[in-house]
Amino acid sequence: MIMMLPFLTGMLAVWFGIRGQRRMCLSLWFITLVIFAAWCQVHMTDPLGFSL
């Protein structure tokens, strides 16, 4: 469910790009990049939840 948001914003960016709305397309691509960076930061700093 968490990964649905960046894929949704990426899909919307492609859709707006196809329609020729460049500003909205670039804005959504930037938002997608920020979301991916935020999730990457969360997953990199989380401790693993298993014991060896």
Side-chain angles (χ1 to χ4, degrees):
M1 185 67 184
I2 290 174
M3 288 304 294
M4 184 177 163
L5 184 59
F7 286 116
L8 179 65
T9 57
M11 181 189 68
L12 286 173
V14 170
W15 185 67
F16 279 112
I18 290 171
R19 293 189 56 201
Q21 297 179 349
R22 181 183 173 125
R23 183 178 300 264
M24 189 65 170
C25 175
L26 292 176
S27 298
L28 283 169
W29 276 121
F30 180 72
I31 290 169
T32 302
L33 179 67
V34 169
I35 292 169
F36 273 131
W39 287 135
C40 185
Q41 179 67 25
V42 168
H43 287 294
M44 286 182 167
T45 58
D46 255 357
L48 294 176
F50 62 87
S51 61
L52 297 174

mmCIF file of all heavy atoms in Angstrom:
data_model
loop_
_atom_site.group_PDB
_atom_site.id
_atom_site.type_symbol
_atom_site.label_atom_id
_atom_site.label_comp_id
_atom_site.label_asym_id
_atom_site.label_seq_id
_atom_site.Cartn_x
_atom_site.Cartn_y
_atom_site.Cartn_z
ATOM 1 N N MET A 1 0.811 -1.196 0.000
ATOM 2 C CA MET A 1 0.000 0.000 0.000
ATOM 3 C C MET A 1 0.855 1.263 0.000
ATOM 4 O O MET A 1 0.504 2.246 -0.626
ATOM 5 C CB MET A 1 -0.925 -0.041 1.216
ATOM 6 C CG MET A 1 -1.893 1.086 1.275
ATOM 7 S SD MET A 1 -3.067 0.932 -0.072
ATOM 8 C CE MET A 1 -3.995 2.387 0.141
ATOM 9 N N ILE A 2 1.999 1.201 0.676
ATOM 10 C CA ILE A 2 2.869 2.364 0.759
ATOM 11 C C ILE A 2 3.431 2.726 -0.613
ATOM 12 O O ILE A 2 3.530 3.894 -0.960
ATOM 13 C CB ILE A 2 4.019 2.108 1.764
ATOM 14 C CG1 ILE A 2 3.476 2.076 3.180
ATOM 15 C CG2 ILE A 2 5.095 3.156 1.641
ATOM 16 C CD1 ILE A 2 4.470 1.697 4.225
ATOM 17 N N MET A 3 3.768 1.736 -1.432
ATOM 18 C CA MET A 3 4.361 2.008 -2.739
ATOM 19 C C MET A 3 3.329 2.424 -3.775
ATOM 20 O O MET A 3 3.700 2.782 -4.893
ATOM 21 C CB MET A 3 5.128 0.774 -3.225
ATOM 22 C CG MET A 3 6.400 0.534 -2.466
ATOM 23 S SD MET A 3 7.515 1.953 -2.491
ATOM 24 C CE MET A 3 7.953 2.026 -4.198
ATOM 25 N N MET A 4 2.069 2.411 -3.419
ATOM 26 C CA MET A 4 1.045 2.812 -4.380
ATOM 27 C C MET A 4 1.132 4.309 -4.705
ATOM 28 O O MET A 4 0.929 4.701 -5.860
ATOM 29 C CB MET A 4 -0.340 2.480 -3.839
ATOM 30 C CG MET A 4 -1.450 2.760 -4.783
ATOM 31 S SD MET A 4 -2.979 2.221 -4.025
ATOM 32 C CE MET A 4 -4.132 3.098 -5.042
ATOM 33 N N LEU A 5 1.459 5.132 -3.741
ATOM 34 C CA LEU A 5 1.496 6.578 -3.935
ATOM 35 C C LEU A 5 2.520 7.015 -4.983
ATOM 36 O O LEU A 5 2.169 7.764 -5.904
ATOM 37 C CB LEU A 5 1.737 7.289 -2.606
ATOM 38 C CG LEU A 5 1.701 8.801 -2.645
ATOM 39 C CD1 LEU A 5 0.357 9.306 -3.148
ATOM 40 C CD2 LEU A 5 1.999 9.354 -1.271
ATOM 41 N N PRO A 6 3.786 6.559 -4.924
ATOM 42 C CA PRO A 6 4.720 7.005 -5.971
ATOM 43 C C PRO A 6 4.352 6.474 -7.352
ATOM 44 O O PRO A 6 4.557 7.155 -8.357
ATOM 45 C CB PRO A 6 6.081 6.499 -5.516
ATOM 46 C CG PRO A 6 5.850 5.585 -4.407
ATOM 47 C CD PRO A 6 4.481 5.819 -3.872
ATOM 48 N N PHE A 7 3.802 5.275 -7.429
ATOM 49 C CA PHE A 7 3.403 4.756 -8.736
ATOM 50 C C PHE A 7 2.191 5.515 -9.273
ATOM 51 O O PHE A 7 2.087 5.747 -10.479
ATOM 52 C CB PHE A 7 3.115 3.259 -8.663
ATOM 53 C CG PHE A 7 4.362 2.436 -8.546
ATOM 54 C CD1 PHE A 7 4.601 1.675 -7.420
ATOM 55 C CD2 PHE A 7 5.301 2.417 -9.564
ATOM 56 C CE1 PHE A 7 5.744 0.918 -7.301
ATOM 57 C CE2 PHE A 7 6.461 1.671 -9.459
ATOM 58 C CZ PHE A 7 6.683 0.916 -8.324
ATOM 59 N N LEU A 8 1.317 5.919 -8.403
ATOM 60 C CA LEU A 8 0.157 6.706 -8.826
ATOM 61 C C LEU A 8 0.592 8.084 -9.331
ATOM 62 O O LEU A 8 0.143 8.528 -10.391
ATOM 63 C CB LEU A 8 -0.835 6.854 -7.663
ATOM 64 C CG LEU A 8 -2.080 7.676 -7.952
ATOM 65 C CD1 LEU A 8 -2.931 6.988 -9.012
ATOM 66 C CD2 LEU A 8 -2.885 7.861 -6.671
ATOM 67 N N THR A 9 1.470 8.747 -8.598
ATOM 68 C CA THR A 9 1.932 10.058 -9.043
ATOM 69 C C THR A 9 2.761 9.942 -10.319
ATOM 70 O O THR A 9 2.693 10.815 -11.188
ATOM 71 C CB THR A 9 2.739 10.774 -7.945
ATOM 72 O OG1 THR A 9 3.833 9.949 -7.553
ATOM 73 C CG2 THR A 9 1.872 11.122 -6.753
ATOM 74 N N GLY A 10 3.535 8.870 -10.461
ATOM 75 C CA GLY A 10 4.280 8.654 -11.702
ATOM 76 C C GLY A 10 3.355 8.422 -12.885
ATOM 77 O O GLY A 10 3.586 8.939 -13.982
ATOM 78 N N MET A 11 2.304 7.651 -12.658
ATOM 79 C CA MET A 11 1.335 7.400 -13.721
ATOM 80 C C MET A 11 0.631 8.694 -14.137
ATOM 81 O O MET A 11 0.450 8.967 -15.326
ATOM 82 C CB MET A 11 0.293 6.379 -13.266
ATOM 83 C CG MET A 11 -0.745 6.051 -14.321
ATOM 84 S SD MET A 11 -2.089 5.050 -13.698
ATOM 85 C CE MET A 11 -2.897 6.195 -12.590
ATOM 86 N N LEU A 12 0.261 9.505 -13.154
ATOM 87 C CA LEU A 12 -0.370 10.788 -13.460
ATOM 88 C C LEU A 12 0.588 11.713 -14.206
ATOM 89 O O LEU A 12 0.168 12.444 -15.110
ATOM 90 C CB LEU A 12 -0.867 11.458 -12.176
ATOM 91 C CG LEU A 12 -2.110 10.845 -11.554
ATOM 92 C CD1 LEU A 12 -2.385 11.500 -10.197
ATOM 93 C CD2 LEU A 12 -3.302 10.983 -12.467
ATOM 94 N N ALA A 13 1.871 11.673 -13.859
ATOM 95 C CA ALA A 13 2.856 12.501 -14.558
ATOM 96 C C ALA A 13 2.952 12.097 -16.025
ATOM 97 O O ALA A 13 2.990 12.957 -16.912
ATOM 98 C CB ALA A 13 4.219 12.380 -13.878
ATOM 99 N N VAL A 14 2.973 10.803 -16.287
ATOM 100 C CA VAL A 14 3.008 10.327 -17.679
ATOM 101 C C VAL A 14 1.745 10.749 -18.410
ATOM 102 O O VAL A 14 1.795 11.201 -19.562
ATOM 103 C CB VAL A 14 3.200 8.794 -17.721
ATOM 104 C CG1 VAL A 14 2.988 8.265 -19.117
ATOM 105 C CG2 VAL A 14 4.577 8.422 -17.204
ATOM 106 N N TRP A 15 0.612 10.626 -17.754
ATOM 107 C CA TRP A 15 -0.661 10.991 -18.383
ATOM 108 C C TRP A 15 -0.690 12.474 -18.753
ATOM 109 O O TRP A 15 -1.083 12.841 -19.848
ATOM 110 C CB TRP A 15 -1.806 10.625 -17.449
ATOM 111 C CG TRP A 15 -3.163 10.850 -18.044
ATOM 112 C CD1 TRP A 15 -3.717 10.183 -19.095
ATOM 113 C CD2 TRP A 15 -4.128 11.812 -17.624
ATOM 114 N NE1 TRP A 15 -4.969 10.669 -19.339
ATOM 115 C CE2 TRP A 15 -5.251 11.670 -18.457
ATOM 116 C CE3 TRP A 15 -4.147 12.767 -16.615
ATOM 117 C CZ2 TRP A 15 -6.378 12.459 -18.315
ATOM 118 C CZ3 TRP A 15 -5.264 13.541 -16.485
ATOM 119 C CH2 TRP A 15 -6.375 13.387 -17.322
ATOM 120 N N PHE A 16 -0.251 13.326 -17.815
ATOM 121 C CA PHE A 16 -0.212 14.755 -18.116
ATOM 122 C C PHE A 16 0.823 15.063 -19.197
ATOM 123 O O PHE A 16 0.631 15.975 -20.002
ATOM 124 C CB PHE A 16 0.073 15.580 -16.860
ATOM 125 C CG PHE A 16 -1.138 15.804 -16.007
ATOM 126 C CD1 PHE A 16 -1.253 15.217 -14.757
ATOM 127 C CD2 PHE A 16 -2.170 16.611 -16.447
ATOM 128 C CE1 PHE A 16 -2.375 15.425 -13.967
ATOM 129 C CE2 PHE A 16 -3.287 16.827 -15.675
ATOM 130 C CZ PHE A 16 -3.402 16.233 -14.427
ATOM 131 N N GLY A 17 1.919 14.314 -19.236
ATOM 132 C CA GLY A 17 2.905 14.501 -20.289
ATOM 133 C C GLY A 17 2.353 14.157 -21.656
ATOM 134 O O GLY A 17 2.606 14.858 -22.643
ATOM 135 N N ILE A 18 1.592 13.081 -21.737
ATOM 136 C CA ILE A 18 0.968 12.689 -23.001
ATOM 137 C C ILE A 18 -0.027 13.747 -23.448
ATOM 138 O O ILE A 18 -0.154 14.041 -24.644
ATOM 139 C CB ILE A 18 0.297 11.308 -22.864
ATOM 140 C CG1 ILE A 18 1.362 10.219 -22.738
ATOM 141 C CG2 ILE A 18 -0.622 11.018 -24.050
ATOM 142 C CD1 ILE A 18 0.817 8.857 -22.378
ATOM 143 N N ARG A 19 -0.730 14.338 -22.496
ATOM 144 C CA ARG A 19 -1.721 15.374 -22.820
ATOM 145 C C ARG A 19 -1.083 16.715 -23.153
ATOM 146 O O ARG A 19 -1.763 17.631 -23.583
ATOM 147 C CB ARG A 19 -2.697 15.549 -21.662
ATOM 148 C CG ARG A 19 -3.571 14.306 -21.462
ATOM 149 C CD ARG A 19 -4.659 14.541 -20.483
ATOM 150 N NE ARG A 19 -5.463 15.686 -20.920
ATOM 151 C CZ ARG A 19 -6.220 16.392 -20.114
ATOM 152 N NH1 ARG A 19 -6.276 16.093 -18.848
ATOM 153 N NH2 ARG A 19 -6.931 17.407 -20.562
ATOM 154 N N GLY A 20 0.225 16.850 -22.938
ATOM 155 C CA GLY A 20 0.919 18.074 -23.302
ATOM 156 C C GLY A 20 0.967 19.127 -22.215
ATOM 157 O O GLY A 20 1.307 20.279 -22.486
ATOM 158 N N GLN A 21 0.638 18.752 -20.986
ATOM 159 C CA GLN A 21 0.680 19.703 -19.870
ATOM 160 C C GLN A 21 2.021 19.552 -19.155
ATOM 161 O O GLN A 21 2.154 18.859 -18.148
ATOM 162 C CB GLN A 21 -0.497 19.470 -18.939
ATOM 163 C CG GLN A 21 -1.825 19.716 -19.615
ATOM 164 C CD GLN A 21 -2.991 19.452 -18.695
ATOM 165 O OE1 GLN A 21 -2.837 18.896 -17.613
ATOM 166 N NE2 GLN A 21 -4.174 19.845 -19.150
ATOM 167 N N ARG A 22 3.006 20.246 -19.706
ATOM 168 C CA ARG A 22 4.385 20.080 -19.259
ATOM 169 C C ARG A 22 4.603 20.461 -17.794
ATOM 170 O O ARG A 22 5.277 19.757 -17.059
ATOM 171 C CB ARG A 22 5.292 20.908 -20.165
ATOM 172 C CG ARG A 22 6.739 20.777 -19.802
ATOM 173 C CD ARG A 22 7.590 21.672 -20.671
ATOM 174 N NE ARG A 22 8.945 21.638 -20.192
ATOM 175 C CZ ARG A 22 9.962 21.330 -20.941
ATOM 176 N NH1 ARG A 22 9.787 21.035 -22.192
ATOM 177 N NH2 ARG A 22 11.164 21.326 -20.422
ATOM 178 N N ARG A 23 4.064 21.591 -17.357
ATOM 179 C CA ARG A 23 4.290 22.061 -15.986
ATOM 180 C C ARG A 23 3.749 21.058 -14.958
ATOM 181 O O ARG A 23 4.421 20.736 -13.978
ATOM 182 C CB ARG A 23 3.657 23.427 -15.782
ATOM 183 C CG ARG A 23 3.925 24.010 -14.409
ATOM 184 C CD ARG A 23 3.336 25.388 -14.250
ATOM 185 N NE ARG A 23 3.881 26.333 -15.217
ATOM 186 C CZ ARG A 23 4.900 27.151 -14.957
ATOM 187 N NH1 ARG A 23 5.454 27.132 -13.777
ATOM 188 N NH2 ARG A 23 5.334 27.991 -15.860
ATOM 189 N N MET A 24 2.550 20.572 -15.192
ATOM 190 C CA MET A 24 1.957 19.586 -14.264
ATOM 191 C C MET A 24 2.744 18.275 -14.296
ATOM 192 O O MET A 24 2.968 17.653 -13.256
ATOM 193 C CB MET A 24 0.494 19.346 -14.642
ATOM 194 C CG MET A 24 -0.244 18.544 -13.635
ATOM 195 S SD MET A 24 -0.356 19.462 -12.098
ATOM 196 C CE MET A 24 -1.481 18.453 -11.215
ATOM 197 N N CYS A 25 3.184 17.869 -15.482
ATOM 198 C CA CYS A 25 3.969 16.646 -15.621
ATOM 199 C C CYS A 25 5.267 16.740 -14.819
ATOM 200 O O CYS A 25 5.598 15.834 -14.056
ATOM 201 C CB CYS A 25 4.264 16.394 -17.103
ATOM 202 S SG CYS A 25 5.357 15.000 -17.415
ATOM 203 N N LEU A 26 5.996 17.824 -14.995
ATOM 204 C CA LEU A 26 7.261 17.994 -14.271
ATOM 205 C C LEU A 26 7.043 18.116 -12.765
ATOM 206 O O LEU A 26 7.845 17.609 -11.973
ATOM 207 C CB LEU A 26 8.015 19.207 -14.808
ATOM 208 C CG LEU A 26 8.540 19.051 -16.238
ATOM 209 C CD1 LEU A 26 9.181 20.349 -16.701
ATOM 210 C CD2 LEU A 26 9.503 17.899 -16.339
ATOM 211 N N SER A 27 5.968 18.772 -12.368
ATOM 212 C CA SER A 27 5.660 18.884 -10.940
ATOM 213 C C SER A 27 5.404 17.512 -10.333
ATOM 214 O O SER A 27 5.914 17.196 -9.252
ATOM 215 C CB SER A 27 4.435 19.773 -10.729
ATOM 216 O OG SER A 27 4.679 21.061 -11.196
ATOM 217 N N LEU A 28 4.634 16.694 -11.029
ATOM 218 C CA LEU A 28 4.337 15.354 -10.504
ATOM 219 C C LEU A 28 5.570 14.461 -10.502
ATOM 220 O O LEU A 28 5.745 13.644 -9.603
ATOM 221 C CB LEU A 28 3.197 14.715 -11.294
ATOM 222 C CG LEU A 28 1.815 15.248 -10.938
ATOM 223 C CD1 LEU A 28 0.779 14.777 -11.947
ATOM 224 C CD2 LEU A 28 1.422 14.815 -9.547
ATOM 225 N N TRP A 29 6.456 14.616 -11.498
ATOM 226 C CA TRP A 29 7.695 13.845 -11.480
ATOM 227 C C TRP A 29 8.547 14.243 -10.282
ATOM 228 O O TRP A 29 9.154 13.382 -9.627
ATOM 229 C CB TRP A 29 8.491 14.044 -12.759
ATOM 230 C CG TRP A 29 8.075 13.158 -13.886
ATOM 231 C CD1 TRP A 29 7.629 13.552 -15.085
ATOM 232 C CD2 TRP A 29 8.063 11.717 -13.911
ATOM 233 N NE1 TRP A 29 7.328 12.459 -15.856
ATOM 234 C CE2 TRP A 29 7.587 11.323 -15.172
ATOM 235 C CE3 TRP A 29 8.407 10.735 -12.996
ATOM 236 C CZ2 TRP A 29 7.447 9.990 -15.530
ATOM 237 C CZ3 TRP A 29 8.266 9.405 -13.361
ATOM 238 C CH2 TRP A 29 7.796 9.044 -14.604
ATOM 239 N N PHE A 30 8.605 15.531 -9.984
ATOM 240 C CA PHE A 30 9.376 15.987 -8.831
ATOM 241 C C PHE A 30 8.767 15.458 -7.527
ATOM 242 O O PHE A 30 9.488 15.011 -6.644
ATOM 243 C CB PHE A 30 9.448 17.516 -8.805
ATOM 244 C CG PHE A 30 10.237 18.038 -7.648
ATOM 245 C CD1 PHE A 30 11.609 17.900 -7.617
ATOM 246 C CD2 PHE A 30 9.606 18.643 -6.575
ATOM 247 C CE1 PHE A 30 12.352 18.361 -6.548
ATOM 248 C CE2 PHE A 30 10.323 19.109 -5.494
ATOM 249 C CZ PHE A 30 11.712 18.972 -5.477
ATOM 250 N N ILE A 31 7.448 15.491 -7.423
ATOM 251 C CA ILE A 31 6.764 14.955 -6.236
ATOM 252 C C ILE A 31 7.060 13.466 -6.086
ATOM 253 O O ILE A 31 7.319 12.971 -4.983
ATOM 254 C CB ILE A 31 5.256 15.236 -6.311
ATOM 255 C CG1 ILE A 31 4.987 16.734 -6.131
ATOM 256 C CG2 ILE A 31 4.475 14.420 -5.282
ATOM 257 C CD1 ILE A 31 3.568 17.156 -6.441
ATOM 258 N N THR A 32 7.045 12.740 -7.207
ATOM 259 C CA THR A 32 7.356 11.305 -7.183
ATOM 260 C C THR A 32 8.783 11.076 -6.686
ATOM 261 O O THR A 32 9.032 10.182 -5.875
ATOM 262 C CB THR A 32 7.166 10.695 -8.583
ATOM 263 O OG1 THR A 32 5.830 10.926 -9.009
ATOM 264 C CG2 THR A 32 7.430 9.200 -8.565
ATOM 265 N N LEU A 33 9.718 11.886 -7.162
ATOM 266 C CA LEU A 33 11.105 11.764 -6.725
ATOM 267 C C LEU A 33 11.240 12.012 -5.224
ATOM 268 O O LEU A 33 11.953 11.284 -4.526
ATOM 269 C CB LEU A 33 11.981 12.748 -7.503
ATOM 270 C CG LEU A 33 13.458 12.756 -7.152
ATOM 271 C CD1 LEU A 33 14.101 11.445 -7.568
ATOM 272 C CD2 LEU A 33 14.136 13.917 -7.822
ATOM 273 N N VAL A 34 10.538 13.016 -4.720
ATOM 274 C CA VAL A 34 10.577 13.318 -3.286
ATOM 275 C C VAL A 34 9.985 12.164 -2.472
ATOM 276 O O VAL A 34 10.532 11.781 -1.435
ATOM 277 C CB VAL A 34 9.837 14.650 -3.001
ATOM 278 C CG1 VAL A 34 9.620 14.855 -1.517
ATOM 279 C CG2 VAL A 34 10.595 15.809 -3.598
ATOM 280 N N ILE A 35 8.888 11.587 -2.956
ATOM 281 C CA ILE A 35 8.266 10.457 -2.248
ATOM 282 C C ILE A 35 9.222 9.267 -2.206
ATOM 283 O O ILE A 35 9.401 8.634 -1.163
ATOM 284 C CB ILE A 35 6.934 10.072 -2.907
ATOM 285 C CG1 ILE A 35 5.899 11.170 -2.703
ATOM 286 C CG2 ILE A 35 6.411 8.752 -2.350
ATOM 287 C CD1 ILE A 35 4.641 10.992 -3.527
ATOM 288 N N PHE A 36 9.859 8.947 -3.362
ATOM 289 C CA PHE A 36 10.817 7.844 -3.385
ATOM 290 C C PHE A 36 11.985 8.107 -2.438
ATOM 291 O O PHE A 36 12.442 7.205 -1.731
ATOM 292 C CB PHE A 36 11.349 7.606 -4.795
ATOM 293 C CG PHE A 36 10.490 6.685 -5.621
ATOM 294 C CD1 PHE A 36 10.116 7.042 -6.898
ATOM 295 C CD2 PHE A 36 10.082 5.456 -5.135
ATOM 296 C CE1 PHE A 36 9.341 6.201 -7.677
ATOM 297 C CE2 PHE A 36 9.300 4.608 -5.891
ATOM 298 C CZ PHE A 36 8.936 4.976 -7.167
ATOM 299 N N ALA A 37 12.481 9.331 -2.398
ATOM 300 C CA ALA A 37 13.592 9.666 -1.507
ATOM 301 C C ALA A 37 13.178 9.538 -0.044
ATOM 302 O O ALA A 37 13.944 9.043 0.788
ATOM 303 C CB ALA A 37 14.091 11.076 -1.802
ATOM 304 N N ALA A 38 11.960 9.956 0.268
ATOM 305 C CA ALA A 38 11.472 9.847 1.652
ATOM 306 C C ALA A 38 11.332 8.386 2.065
ATOM 307 O O ALA A 38 11.753 8.004 3.164
ATOM 308 C CB ALA A 38 10.135 10.564 1.793
ATOM 309 N N TRP A 39 10.756 7.562 1.189
ATOM 310 C CA TRP A 39 10.607 6.140 1.534
ATOM 311 C C TRP A 39 11.961 5.457 1.635
ATOM 312 O O TRP A 39 12.172 4.586 2.472
ATOM 313 C CB TRP A 39 9.736 5.407 0.532
ATOM 314 C CG TRP A 39 8.283 5.725 0.628
ATOM 315 C CD1 TRP A 39 7.455 5.989 -0.404
ATOM 316 C CD2 TRP A 39 7.470 5.813 1.816
ATOM 317 N NE1 TRP A 39 6.185 6.246 0.055
ATOM 318 C CE2 TRP A 39 6.174 6.142 1.406
ATOM 319 C CE3 TRP A 39 7.731 5.658 3.167
ATOM 320 C CZ2 TRP A 39 5.142 6.314 2.315
ATOM 321 C CZ3 TRP A 39 6.705 5.825 4.068
ATOM 322 C CH2 TRP A 39 5.434 6.148 3.636
ATOM 323 N N CYS A 40 12.905 5.862 0.775
ATOM 324 C CA CYS A 40 14.249 5.292 0.837
ATOM 325 C C CYS A 40 14.898 5.631 2.182
ATOM 326 O O CYS A 40 15.504 4.768 2.813
ATOM 327 C CB CYS A 40 15.081 5.836 -0.322
ATOM 328 S SG CYS A 40 16.712 5.116 -0.442
ATOM 329 N N GLN A 41 14.756 6.868 2.609
ATOM 330 C CA GLN A 41 15.313 7.286 3.900
ATOM 331 C C GLN A 41 14.684 6.494 5.047
ATOM 332 O O GLN A 41 15.374 6.044 5.954
ATOM 333 C CB GLN A 41 15.090 8.789 4.098
ATOM 334 C CG GLN A 41 15.595 9.325 5.402
ATOM 335 C CD GLN A 41 17.101 9.276 5.511
ATOM 336 O OE1 GLN A 41 17.801 9.279 4.505
ATOM 337 N NE2 GLN A 41 17.597 9.218 6.722
ATOM 338 N N VAL A 42 13.376 6.300 4.996
ATOM 339 C CA VAL A 42 12.689 5.541 6.049
ATOM 340 C C VAL A 42 13.183 4.101 6.086
ATOM 341 O O VAL A 42 13.485 3.558 7.147
ATOM 342 C CB VAL A 42 11.154 5.587 5.836
ATOM 343 C CG1 VAL A 42 10.454 4.579 6.726
ATOM 344 C CG2 VAL A 42 10.639 6.983 6.106
ATOM 345 N N HIS A 43 13.300 3.480 4.927
ATOM 346 C CA HIS A 43 13.701 2.074 4.890
ATOM 347 C C HIS A 43 15.174 1.881 5.211
ATOM 348 O O HIS A 43 15.556 0.837 5.728
ATOM 349 C CB HIS A 43 13.383 1.471 3.523
ATOM 350 C CG HIS A 43 11.924 1.249 3.311
ATOM 351 N ND1 HIS A 43 11.198 0.333 4.041
ATOM 352 C CD2 HIS A 43 11.045 1.818 2.463
ATOM 353 C CE1 HIS A 43 9.943 0.356 3.658
ATOM 354 N NE2 HIS A 43 9.816 1.253 2.701
ATOM 355 N N MET A 44 16.009 2.853 4.914
ATOM 356 C CA MET A 44 17.441 2.721 5.207
ATOM 357 C C MET A 44 17.755 2.897 6.684
ATOM 358 O O MET A 44 18.728 2.360 7.168
ATOM 359 C CB MET A 44 18.253 3.733 4.400
ATOM 360 C CG MET A 44 18.392 3.399 2.959
ATOM 361 S SD MET A 44 19.406 4.662 2.206
ATOM 362 C CE MET A 44 19.755 3.899 0.653
ATOM 363 N N THR A 45 16.942 3.683 7.382
ATOM 364 C CA THR A 45 17.242 3.965 8.789
ATOM 365 C C THR A 45 16.448 3.097 9.752
ATOM 366 O O THR A 45 16.703 3.140 10.954
ATOM 367 C CB THR A 45 16.949 5.447 9.100
ATOM 368 O OG1 THR A 45 15.588 5.736 8.797
ATOM 369 C CG2 THR A 45 17.860 6.357 8.292
ATOM 370 N N ASP A 46 15.503 2.308 9.268
ATOM 371 C CA ASP A 46 14.729 1.407 10.117
ATOM 372 C C ASP A 46 15.575 0.205 10.544
ATOM 373 O O ASP A 46 16.272 -0.379 9.725
ATOM 374 C CB ASP A 46 13.517 0.860 9.370
ATOM 375 C CG ASP A 46 12.223 1.489 9.796
ATOM 376 O OD1 ASP A 46 12.257 2.307 10.719
ATOM 377 O OD2 ASP A 46 11.201 1.148 9.210
ATOM 378 N N PRO A 47 15.524 -0.172 11.803
ATOM 379 C CA PRO A 47 16.222 -1.403 12.203
ATOM 380 C C PRO A 47 15.461 -2.623 11.673
ATOM 381 O O PRO A 47 14.231 -2.592 11.528
ATOM 382 C CB PRO A 47 16.178 -1.364 13.731
ATOM 383 C CG PRO A 47 15.033 -0.487 14.063
ATOM 384 C CD PRO A 47 14.895 0.494 12.945
ATOM 385 N N LEU A 48 16.206 -3.653 11.373
ATOM 386 C CA LEU A 48 15.576 -4.883 10.888
ATOM 387 C C LEU A 48 14.855 -5.570 12.052
ATOM 388 O O LEU A 48 15.362 -5.623 13.167
ATOM 389 C CB LEU A 48 16.612 -5.820 10.282
ATOM 390 C CG LEU A 48 17.267 -5.310 9.010
ATOM 391 C CD1 LEU A 48 18.352 -6.294 8.563
ATOM 392 C CD2 LEU A 48 16.245 -5.130 7.917
ATOM 393 N N GLY A 49 13.690 -6.128 11.769
ATOM 394 C CA GLY A 49 12.864 -6.693 12.829
ATOM 395 C C GLY A 49 12.989 -8.203 12.982
ATOM 396 O O GLY A 49 12.008 -8.860 13.261
ATOM 397 N N PHE A 50 14.195 -8.738 12.809
ATOM 398 C CA PHE A 50 14.361 -10.176 13.016
ATOM 399 C C PHE A 50 15.638 -10.431 13.806
ATOM 400 O O PHE A 50 16.543 -9.620 13.826
ATOM 401 C CB PHE A 50 14.375 -10.948 11.687
ATOM 402 C CG PHE A 50 15.506 -10.590 10.771
ATOM 403 C CD1 PHE A 50 16.715 -11.225 10.871
ATOM 404 C CD2 PHE A 50 15.352 -9.615 9.799
ATOM 405 C CE1 PHE A 50 17.759 -10.897 10.030
ATOM 406 C CE2 PHE A 50 16.383 -9.286 8.946
ATOM 407 C CZ PHE A 50 17.593 -9.930 9.073
ATOM 408 N N SER A 51 15.691 -11.576 14.441
ATOM 409 C CA SER A 51 16.882 -11.924 15.218
ATOM 410 C C SER A 51 17.534 -13.164 14.610
ATOM 411 O O SER A 51 16.854 -14.026 14.047
ATOM 412 C CB SER A 51 16.524 -12.184 16.680
ATOM 413 O OG SER A 51 15.622 -13.271 16.757
ATOM 414 N N LEU A 52 18.817 -13.231 14.724
ATOM 415 C CA LEU A 52 19.548 -14.360 14.126
ATOM 416 C C LEU A 52 19.864 -15.403 15.138
ATOM 417 O O LEU A 52 20.262 -15.398 16.132
ATOM 418 C CB LEU A 52 20.827 -13.874 13.456
ATOM 419 C CG LEU A 52 20.572 -12.925 12.283
ATOM 420 C CD1 LEU A 52 21.909 -12.377 11.781
ATOM 421 C CD2 LEU A 52 19.885 -13.653 11.161
#
